[in-house]
Amino acid sequence: MRQFVLENEKARNILVSLANSVTDADLSKDAGEGWTVGVIFAHIAFWDQRTIILLKRWGKTGVSTSPVDIEVINESLTPFLNAISPRKAVSIALATAETLCREIESLNNDMVNAIEAIGDKMRLHRYIHWQMHIEQIERIIHS
């Protein structure tokens, strides 16, 4: 099994454990810049869903770059992510992460090689994004 698949699964399991341990009060804690812990979960869900869509599109049309201005998107999404109930955000994040892990796990070697060739590491190595936010959430809820 590919190392990034194992790392994704490990990080997803940590995300699940964290999600199962956070209280409603934790989900409402301020994360800065108009975000809460609940918004962080919604953010994770959004970016994972984007990756699912890219993988499906690439499966049909071939792999190509898909550049975005991450900061502008995150800032633009803030009011929408805040509109999602925190518990719903957690539920969506966990379901999306599970779906994404299965999608990545099922990729054939040609697809993996093509994604790696364009240098888009974050599409395959989702654990990097998850771990960053797991650490962020843990700092917030333990402060």
Side-chain angles (χ1 to χ4, degrees):
M1 185 167 289
R2 298 176 182 112
Q3 187 61 36
F4 61 81
V5 170
L6 297 172
E7 294 295 331
N8 285 345
E9 195 61 32
K10 179 180 170 185
R12 189 187 67 77
N13 287 331
I14 294 168
L15 185 65
V16 169
S17 293
L18 178 60
N20 289 332
S21 72
V22 293
T23 65
D24 289 344
D26 290 336
L27 290 171
S28 296
K29 287 187 176 181
D30 182 37
E33 299 184 27
W35 285 31
T36 63
V37 170
V39 168
I40 295 170
F41 279 100
H43 161 89
I44 292 168
F46 169 80
W47 287 103
D48 286 351
Q49 182 64 29
R50 181 179 186 275
T51 300
I52 291 167
I53 298 302
L54 279 174
L55 293 175
K56 288 181 179 188
R57 179 175 294 165
W58 290 343
K60 293 176 184 171
T61 64
V63 176
S64 62
T65 60
S66 183
V68 296
D69 184 328
I70 294 169
E71 297 303 319
V72 168
I73 289 175
N74 283 338
E75 191 173 336
S76 299
L77 282 172
T78 298
F80 301 99
L81 300 181
N82 271 294
I84 301 169
S85 77
R87 283 288 164 204
K88 186 65 174 174
V90 169
S91 175
I92 295 168
L94 296 182
T96 308
E98 169 72 21
T99 299
L100 181 52
C101 277
R102 301 299 73 85
E103 288 285 330
I104 291 171
E105 187 177 344
S106 71
L107 294 175
N108 65 43
N109 288 335
D110 290 340
M111 178 74 103
V112 169
N113 293 337
I115 294 168
E116 288 175 342
I118 64 169
D120 196 347
K121 186 174 184 173
M122 291 296 286
R123 291 318 121 223
L124 300 174
H125 301 253
R126 295 308 298 160
Y127 67 91
I128 297 169
H129 187 237
W130 296 334
Q131 190 60 46
M132 177 181 64
H133 289 301
I134 288 166
E135 292 170 6
Q136 178 187 23
I137 291 167
E138 288 175 339
R139 277 193 310 274
I140 293 166
I141 64 176
H142 294 114
S143 64

